[in-house]
Amino acid sequence: MVYNRREFIAFLGKASIATITIPPFLSGCSSNTKPLKNKLSEEQIKKLKNVVLEALVPSDKDDLLLANGLDYKIVIKWGDRISDKDTFGFNPDFNCFIPLDENNPKDGLLWVNHEYTNPLYVADFNPNDFENPSEHKTKAQVDKEMYSVGGSIVRIKEEQGVWKVVNNDSHNIRITAQTPIAINWDKPIMGKTEIMGTNSNCSGGITPWNTFLTCEENYDNCFGQTIYGENDNTTHIPSLNGWEKFYNNPPEHYGWVVEVNPKSGTAQKHIALGRFAHECCTLYELEDKRVVAYSGDDTKNEHLYKFISSKPGSLKEGTLYVADTVNGKWLALDWENEPVLKNKFKDQTEVLIRAREAAKLLGATPLNRPEDIEIDPITGHIFVSLTNNKPKGDYHGSILKIEETNGKFDALTFKASTYLAGGEENGFSCPDNLAFDLSGNLWMTSDMSGDAMNKENGPYMPFKNNSLFVIPRYGKDAGKVIRVASAPRDAELTGPWFSPDGKTLFLSVQHPGEQTTDKANPTSQWPFDGDNIPKPAVVAITGDLIDKMNYLNLVEGSST
Ligand code: FEO
Ligand code: CA
Ligand code: CA
């Protein structure tokens, strides 16, 4: 399979913007690289050869530990001021950096998802004090929680090797659970064409036209869930947060993919991509500029979807499909042409709102919680983290590999197989976020839940704290899962994103100290900035080891 440059740039996904270093796979698929060779001197190669990739041992230490050859600095943390008006939100997840000028990879706009809140820290409300906590929250407390989620755009610049926020830059804005957001659809959703806010923003993606995608995952925690009964009578399941006590927003307003324009800060919800617990949205641009969008529903026994647009650059015109991974088929959620859907739902809008039910009617395969999705920049295979499914006995998850027929992203058939299984043998459990670096090594974070981690005799004990791993593509460690960062206590490392020159890995440290029930005795004090309060933050990781990994094909030789 031969790719043109544009396709390869699309392939690069999270390292995709105006890559300064021509990626090795540009010169030809799966073969060794030539373009990079001209960019490194023999001396530089020798220096990188001396950088040793040495795995961290599992640790339960309350700190962000990094392998030798890596260093980190905090870019921004919860509560930091981004402008006179706004502060940085809570629990960062997905990061995406877009340079303002594609010739300068060191100055641009960082989008950060703020996935969920913690009432203890954000609203000074301790849920442990009450049997039914949400009944006791005040509107002021709910407003604080709603402000703490959504996303942030911050302009950041790298100066003398340090990434700093440009405070008060005109691009710096917050999108919150109360920001009005339009829908990209011709019919209203539950009577509205403009929706109050976005929430549960877990992972996301980037479009070929350089906008951010942020995905609404566990929206049922915010405004509850609608259960549709036999004759389409509905029942409202209350939310964990209890926001509906003050804001009577229907659950149908959430569970969408939201696109944010970095320059203007305006947002829109893409109804055509379906409504479910969207973990992420990973786009591929076809030669004719139509797009293919992959997205998983991170809920037990839910599904993997892909949208294929029928018009260039559209996330509205096209067809949403769901995966039958047993038979390798993409099944169309198409009301007009699928009698089984026509019998059940009144129109395509209802199919999209109730995508999970529609998927089941078509025979979609239940999966073990699909999380992040990335496209291998060298093979074009699609990797999907299946994090776990405990009731089915899958405690450690796996990475699913999808090979589209003939390598065509708009194919309607594919082959599915397991690329890598979690567990003690491979040294990781509960895969979540994925990212490829500039030479095609796969980086992966883990997400063992805070209440299960480090429990004596529990299934997760051997793995200790959540971590970041790299799976090298070349050399003696090719295919091995190597732990390169260990998170502070209770935390999860999320949102890995490489800067355009590949030299910085942005990473979120989400929910350190989450198991805290008494503020006077926090389970974590990371980042140790003097006030005893754990603070979720985004860090910038740099160092010789990242440089080595980006040139691993040159340094270590042959491809696997
Ligand atoms: Fe928010 Fe599925 O992780
Ligand atoms: Ca996740
Ligand atoms: Ca997760």
Side-chain angles (χ1 to χ4, degrees):
M1 191 170 174
V2 177
Y3 304 97
N4 64 31
R5 182 183 157 80
R6 188 175 180 89
E7 283 175 319
F8 267 104
I9 295 297
F11 259 155
L12 278 168
K14 288 184 177 175
S16 70
I17 308 302
T19 43
I20 299 297
T21 307
I22 304 294
F25 24 85
L26 279 176
S27 65
C29 202
S30 304
S31 63
N32 215 341
T33 66
K34 290 168 191 81
L36 274 180
K37 204 156 196 173
N38 301 328
K39 290 182 174 279
L40 275 193
S41 65
E42 288 302 319
E43 201 180 324
Q44 285 169 314
I45 291 178
K46 203 167 143 197
K47 187 184 157 212
L48 292 180
K49 267 190 200 291
N50 290 330
V51 178
V52 180
L53 173 57
E54 196 180 345
L56 290 174
V57 293
S59 169
D60 58 8
K61 194 170 179 208
D62 180 31
D63 206 349
L64 177 58
L65 306 175
L66 299 178
N68 285 330
L70 297 177
D71 202 2
Y72 83 89
K73 292 202 168 53
I74 289 178
V75 179
I76 188 164
K77 60 185 187 299
W78 166 57
D80 283 355
R81 199 147 273 294
I82 62 169
S83 68
D84 290 343
K85 195 167 141 263
D86 284 312
T87 55
F88 193 67
F90 206 72
N91 272 349
D93 199 297
F94 176 64
N95 293 292
C96 178
F97 176 84
I98 296 181
L100 279 167
D101 169 355
E102 68 171 42
N103 296 312
N104 180 7
K106 295 176 188 298
D107 179 3
L109 303 177
L110 181 73
W111 167 268
V112 185
N113 278 1
H114 298 298
E115 186 176 9
Y116 63 98
T117 190
N118 182 337
L120 184 63
Y121 285 106
V122 165
D124 206 16
F125 175 86
N126 194 339
N128 302 295
D129 292 346
F130 307 97
E131 199 173 324
N132 296 307
S134 63
E135 287 176 15
H136 298 272
K137 275 183 199 166
T138 64
K139 180 170 178 294
Q141 284 166 326
V142 165
D143 285 338
K144 281 186 181 164
E145 291 182 14
M146 291 178 80
Y147 180 76
S148 74
V149 303
S152 293
I153 298 174
V154 280
R155 182 169 178 187
I156 56 171
K157 274 189 195 178
E158 193 221 277
E159 281 164 4
Q160 275 108 42
V162 181
W163 287 94
K164 289 197 173 138
V165 171
V166 182
N167 194 20
N168 253 336
D169 186 87
S170 61
H171 297 94
N172 295 4
I173 59 149
R174 284 295 319 283
I175 288 183
T176 77
Q178 296 186 353
T179 306
I181 299 180
I183 56 168
N184 181 24
W185 197 241
D186 295 332
K187 289 188 175 173
I189 302 297
M190 300 298 282
K192 293 278 166 77
T193 54
E194 190 179 78
I195 283 169
M196 180 195 272
T198 181
N199 62 61
S200 314
N201 308 76
C202 188
S203 192
I206 186 167
T207 64
W209 47 92
N210 281 347
T211 57
F212 308 119
L213 296 174
T214 174
C215 295
E216 298 178 338
E217 190 194 29
N218 299 316
Y219 61 88
D220 52 318
N221 287 338
C222 297
F223 294 100
Q225 183 68 289
T226 306
I227 303 296
Y228 295 85
E230 274 297 302
N231 298 311
D232 286 349
N233 55 324
T234 58
T235 313
H236 179 80
I237 308 290
S239 73
L240 177 74
N241 292 348
W243 293 354
E244 64 267 41
K245 186 171 131 189
F246 300 103
Y247 299 94
N248 193 23
N249 298 337
E252 288 82 354
H253 281 179
Y254 309 97
W256 304 106
V257 174
V258 184
E259 181 179 0
V260 180
N261 182 316
K263 300 267 172 78
S264 66
T266 53
Q268 55 179 331
K269 299 202 180 196
H270 290 301
I271 306 307
L273 274 58
R275 175 176 164 269
F276 45 87
H278 281 277
E279 169 77 18
C280 71
C281 190
T282 303
L283 262 53
Y284 180 85
E285 186 180 43
L286 300 168
E287 217 164 305
D288 60 9
K289 302 289 196 295
R290 289 179 302 121
V291 286
V292 177
Y294 295 92
S295 191
D297 183 349
D298 181 8
T299 305
K300 286 189 270 286
N301 307 318
E302 289 299 335
H303 312 294
L304 175 68
Y305 297 77
K306 87 167 173 182
F307 172 82
I308 306 176
S309 73
S310 56
K311 288 191 179 158
S314 177
L315 290 175
K316 179 182 171 192
E317 315 282 340
T319 305
L320 182 66
Y321 297 85
V322 66
D324 167 354
T325 59
V326 176
N327 298 301
K329 285 184 180 158
W330 291 107
L331 313 167
L333 279 83
D334 178 358
W335 182 84
E336 193 61 53
N337 295 305
E338 291 288 347
V340 70
L341 301 182
K342 225 167 189 170
N343 284 342
K344 173 79 180 168
F345 303 107
K346 68 172 189 290
D347 57 16
Q348 182 65 16
T349 305
E350 194 172 32
V351 166
L352 295 167
I353 289 174
R354 296 165 64 181
R356 286 174 171 170
E357 290 171 77
K360 282 170 193 63
L361 286 173
L362 293 171
T365 309
L367 296 173
N368 293 353
R369 295 187 49 204
E371 294 249 23
D372 207 2
I373 301 171
E374 284 303 315
I375 299 171
D376 184 326
I378 292 174
T379 63
H381 298 155
I382 297 116
F383 288 84
V384 184
S385 285
L386 301 177
T387 196
N388 63 60
N389 192 342
K390 296 174 195 172
K392 283 197 167 170
D394 178 7
Y395 286 87
H396 301 302
S398 61
I399 298 178
L400 176 74
K401 182 167 84 175
I402 302 280
E403 296 170 65
E404 298 280 23
T405 301
N406 297 326
K408 291 196 177 303
F409 291 86
D410 55 350
L412 297 183
T413 55
F414 62 91
K415 192 176 128 203
S417 59
T418 297
Y419 165 68
L420 194 61
E424 277 193 73
E425 196 182 330
N426 286 326
F428 73 97
S429 183
C430 305
D432 194 328
N433 294 127
L434 304 172
F436 284 97
D437 64 23
L438 291 185
S439 66
N441 305 301
L442 179 59
W443 299 66
M444 168 182 74
T445 63
S446 67
D447 177 17
M448 298 171 286
S449 64
D451 57 1
M453 249 188 300
N454 294 306
K455 289 284 183 297
E456 282 296 342
N457 304 318
Y460 301 111
M461 192 60 195
F463 308 96
K464 300 201 174 168
N465 287 4
N466 276 317
S467 294
L468 169 74
F469 303 85
V470 66
I471 304 169
R473 186 159 212 137
Y474 310 97
K476 68 175 174 40
D477 294 321
K480 290 185 191 161
V481 183
I482 297 174
R483 185 185 303 253
V484 289
S486 175
R489 219 169 279 151
D490 304 345
E492 174 195 0
L493 302 174
T494 54
W497 184 278
F498 287 96
S499 61
D501 58 7
K503 286 179 156 302
T504 300
L505 175 61
F506 296 109
L507 188 70
S508 297
V509 179
Q510 197 190 95
H511 56 75
E514 188 171 52
Q515 299 295 309
T516 301
T517 52
D518 171 10
K519 272 175 150 177
N521 294 297
T523 56
S524 169
Q525 295 189 38
W526 191 87
F528 311 109
D529 55 359
D531 60 6
N532 217 21
I533 297 174
K535 294 188 188 80
V538 175
V539 301
I541 298 176
T542 55
D544 291 345
L545 186 58
I546 290 196
D547 293 344
K548 174 170 180 157
M549 299 315 287
N550 279 322
Y551 290 99
L552 198 63
N553 50 334
L554 292 185
V555 178
E556 294 284 351
S558 68
S559 162
T560 55

PDB file of all heavy atoms in Angstrom, residues 17-33:
ATOM      1  N   ILE A  17       0.104  17.557  13.368  1.00  0.00           N
ATOM      2  CA  ILE A  17       0.064  18.923  12.869  1.00  0.00           C
ATOM      3  C   ILE A  17       1.439  19.364  12.377  1.00  0.00           C
ATOM      4  O   ILE A  17       2.372  19.466  13.157  1.00  0.00           O
ATOM      5  CB  ILE A  17      -0.395  19.874  13.982  1.00  0.00           C
ATOM      6  CG1 ILE A  17      -1.666  19.369  14.586  1.00  0.00           C
ATOM      7  CG2 ILE A  17      -0.593  21.268  13.465  1.00  0.00           C
ATOM      8  CD1 ILE A  17      -2.781  19.223  13.601  1.00  0.00           C
ATOM      9  N   ALA A  18       1.526  19.643  11.114  1.00  0.00           N
ATOM     10  CA  ALA A  18       2.714  20.271  10.569  1.00  0.00           C
ATOM     11  C   ALA A  18       3.996  19.681  11.129  1.00  0.00           C
ATOM     12  O   ALA A  18       4.841  20.360  11.665  1.00  0.00           O
ATOM     13  CB  ALA A  18       2.664  21.764  10.872  1.00  0.00           C
ATOM     14  N   THR A  19       4.122  18.394  11.021  1.00  0.00           N
ATOM     15  CA  THR A  19       5.303  17.748  11.594  1.00  0.00           C
ATOM     16  C   THR A  19       6.558  18.332  10.984  1.00  0.00           C
ATOM     17  O   THR A  19       6.704  18.396   9.766  1.00  0.00           O
ATOM     18  CB  THR A  19       5.250  16.231  11.342  1.00  0.00           C
ATOM     19  OG1 THR A  19       4.827  16.031  10.016  1.00  0.00           O
ATOM     20  CG2 THR A  19       4.307  15.556  12.293  1.00  0.00           C
ATOM     21  N   ILE A  20       7.441  18.757  11.833  1.00  0.00           N
ATOM     22  CA  ILE A  20       8.691  19.353  11.376  1.00  0.00           C
ATOM     23  C   ILE A  20       9.594  18.238  10.844  1.00  0.00           C
ATOM     24  O   ILE A  20      10.183  18.340   9.801  1.00  0.00           O
ATOM     25  CB  ILE A  20       9.395  20.066  12.557  1.00  0.00           C
ATOM     26  CG1 ILE A  20       8.504  21.164  13.079  1.00  0.00           C
ATOM     27  CG2 ILE A  20      10.735  20.612  12.121  1.00  0.00           C
ATOM     28  CD1 ILE A  20       8.201  22.265  12.118  1.00  0.00           C
ATOM     29  N   THR A  21       9.656  17.160  11.614  1.00  0.00           N
ATOM     30  CA  THR A  21      10.438  16.018  11.185  1.00  0.00           C
ATOM     31  C   THR A  21       9.587  15.205  10.224  1.00  0.00           C
ATOM     32  O   THR A  21       8.486  14.820  10.562  1.00  0.00           O
ATOM     33  CB  THR A  21      10.770  15.141  12.401  1.00  0.00           C
ATOM     34  OG1 THR A  21      11.362  15.965  13.389  1.00  0.00           O
ATOM     35  CG2 THR A  21      11.710  14.039  12.012  1.00  0.00           C
ATOM     36  N   ILE A  22      10.110  14.979   9.039  1.00  0.00           N
ATOM     37  CA  ILE A  22       9.370  14.133   8.102  1.00  0.00           C
ATOM     38  C   ILE A  22       9.335  12.725   8.695  1.00  0.00           C
ATOM     39  O   ILE A  22      10.369  12.145   8.981  1.00  0.00           O
ATOM     40  CB  ILE A  22      10.070  14.077   6.736  1.00  0.00           C
ATOM     41  CG1 ILE A  22      10.278  15.481   6.174  1.00  0.00           C
ATOM     42  CG2 ILE A  22       9.283  13.210   5.764  1.00  0.00           C
ATOM     43  CD1 ILE A  22       9.032  16.227   5.824  1.00  0.00           C
ATOM     44  N   PRO A  23       8.163  12.181   8.910  1.00  0.00           N
ATOM     45  CA  PRO A  23       8.115  10.860   9.530  1.00  0.00           C
ATOM     46  C   PRO A  23       8.703   9.799   8.604  1.00  0.00           C
ATOM     47  O   PRO A  23       8.619   9.913   7.387  1.00  0.00           O
ATOM     48  CB  PRO A  23       6.627  10.628   9.772  1.00  0.00           C
ATOM     49  CG  PRO A  23       5.931  11.594   8.905  1.00  0.00           C
ATOM     50  CD  PRO A  23       6.840  12.732   8.644  1.00  0.00           C
ATOM     51  N   PRO A  24       9.307   8.797   9.207  1.00  0.00           N
ATOM     52  CA  PRO A  24      10.029   7.808   8.421  1.00  0.00           C
ATOM     53  C   PRO A  24       9.160   7.091   7.404  1.00  0.00           C
ATOM     54  O   PRO A  24       9.605   6.789   6.317  1.00  0.00           O
ATOM     55  CB  PRO A  24      10.526   6.809   9.471  1.00  0.00           C
ATOM     56  CG  PRO A  24       9.734   7.092  10.703  1.00  0.00           C
ATOM     57  CD  PRO A  24       9.367   8.521  10.638  1.00  0.00           C
ATOM     58  N   PHE A  25       7.905   6.862   7.767  1.00  0.00           N
ATOM     59  CA  PHE A  25       7.042   6.073   6.899  1.00  0.00           C
ATOM     60  C   PHE A  25       6.627   6.841   5.655  1.00  0.00           C
ATOM     61  O   PHE A  25       6.000   6.293   4.784  1.00  0.00           O
ATOM     62  CB  PHE A  25       5.823   5.578   7.664  1.00  0.00           C
ATOM     63  CG  PHE A  25       5.507   6.417   8.848  1.00  0.00           C
ATOM     64  CD1 PHE A  25       4.743   7.539   8.707  1.00  0.00           C
ATOM     65  CD2 PHE A  25       6.011   6.077  10.095  1.00  0.00           C
ATOM     66  CE1 PHE A  25       4.468   8.323   9.813  1.00  0.00           C
ATOM     67  CE2 PHE A  25       5.741   6.871  11.188  1.00  0.00           C
ATOM     68  CZ  PHE A  25       4.974   7.992  11.046  1.00  0.00           C
ATOM     69  N   LEU A  26       6.984   8.120   5.568  1.00  0.00           N
ATOM     70  CA  LEU A  26       6.659   8.857   4.348  1.00  0.00           C
ATOM     71  C   LEU A  26       7.371   8.280   3.141  1.00  0.00           C
ATOM     72  O   LEU A  26       6.881   8.343   2.042  1.00  0.00           O
ATOM     73  CB  LEU A  26       7.059  10.330   4.490  1.00  0.00           C
ATOM     74  CG  LEU A  26       6.089  11.213   5.245  1.00  0.00           C
ATOM     75  CD1 LEU A  26       6.654  12.601   5.381  1.00  0.00           C
ATOM     76  CD2 LEU A  26       4.750  11.258   4.531  1.00  0.00           C
ATOM     77  N   SER A  27       8.541   7.744   3.366  1.00  0.00           N
ATOM     78  CA  SER A  27       9.332   7.289   2.231  1.00  0.00           C
ATOM     79  C   SER A  27       8.849   5.944   1.692  1.00  0.00           C
ATOM     80  O   SER A  27       9.265   5.516   0.641  1.00  0.00           O
ATOM     81  CB  SER A  27      10.798   7.193   2.620  1.00  0.00           C
ATOM     82  OG  SER A  27      10.926   6.199   3.595  1.00  0.00           O
ATOM     83  N   GLY A  28       7.975   5.294   2.411  1.00  0.00           N
ATOM     84  CA  GLY A  28       7.472   4.010   1.913  1.00  0.00           C
ATOM     85  C   GLY A  28       7.037   3.162   3.075  1.00  0.00           C
ATOM     86  O   GLY A  28       7.632   3.177   4.129  1.00  0.00           O
ATOM     87  N   CYS A  29       6.014   2.413   2.836  1.00  0.00           N
ATOM     88  CA  CYS A  29       5.397   1.697   3.934  1.00  0.00           C
ATOM     89  C   CYS A  29       6.266   0.579   4.484  1.00  0.00           C
ATOM     90  O   CYS A  29       6.866  -0.176   3.733  1.00  0.00           O
ATOM     91  CB  CYS A  29       4.090   1.116   3.423  1.00  0.00           C
ATOM     92  SG  CYS A  29       2.965   0.768   4.719  1.00  0.00           S
ATOM     93  N   SER A  30       6.330   0.498   5.771  1.00  0.00           N
ATOM     94  CA  SER A  30       6.970  -0.613   6.483  1.00  0.00           C
ATOM     95  C   SER A  30       8.455  -0.802   6.186  1.00  0.00           C
ATOM     96  O   SER A  30       9.075  -1.689   6.721  1.00  0.00           O
ATOM     97  CB  SER A  30       6.265  -1.945   6.179  1.00  0.00           C
ATOM     98  OG  SER A  30       4.915  -1.797   6.496  1.00  0.00           O
ATOM     99  N   SER A  31       9.015   0.003   5.303  1.00  0.00           N
ATOM    100  CA  SER A  31      10.435  -0.171   5.039  1.00  0.00           C
ATOM    101  C   SER A  31      11.210   0.754   5.960  1.00  0.00           C
ATOM    102  O   SER A  31      10.645   1.615   6.606  1.00  0.00           O
ATOM    103  CB  SER A  31      10.749   0.152   3.592  1.00  0.00           C
ATOM    104  OG  SER A  31      10.452   1.500   3.363  1.00  0.00           O
ATOM    105  N   ASN A  32      12.499   0.566   5.973  1.00  0.00           N
ATOM    106  CA  ASN A  32      13.288   1.428   6.840  1.00  0.00           C
ATOM    107  C   ASN A  32      13.313   2.840   6.273  1.00  0.00           C
ATOM    108  O   ASN A  32      13.041   3.075   5.119  1.00  0.00           O
ATOM    109  CB  ASN A  32      14.699   0.860   7.004  1.00  0.00           C
ATOM    110  CG  ASN A  32      15.196   1.133   8.404  1.00  0.00           C
ATOM    111  OD1 ASN A  32      14.661   2.017   9.074  1.00  0.00           O
ATOM    112  ND2 ASN A  32      16.178   0.399   8.837  1.00  0.00           N
ATOM    113  N   THR A  33      13.693   3.772   7.137  1.00  0.00           N
ATOM    114  CA  THR A  33      13.458   5.158   6.780  1.00  0.00           C
ATOM    115  C   THR A  33      14.682   5.785   6.160  1.00  0.00           C
ATOM    116  O   THR A  33      15.793   5.417   6.484  1.00  0.00           O
ATOM    117  CB  THR A  33      13.136   5.939   8.034  1.00  0.00           C
ATOM    118  OG1 THR A  33      14.290   5.929   8.819  1.00  0.00           O
ATOM    119  CG2 THR A  33      11.996   5.313   8.760  1.00  0.00           C
TER     120      THR A  33
END
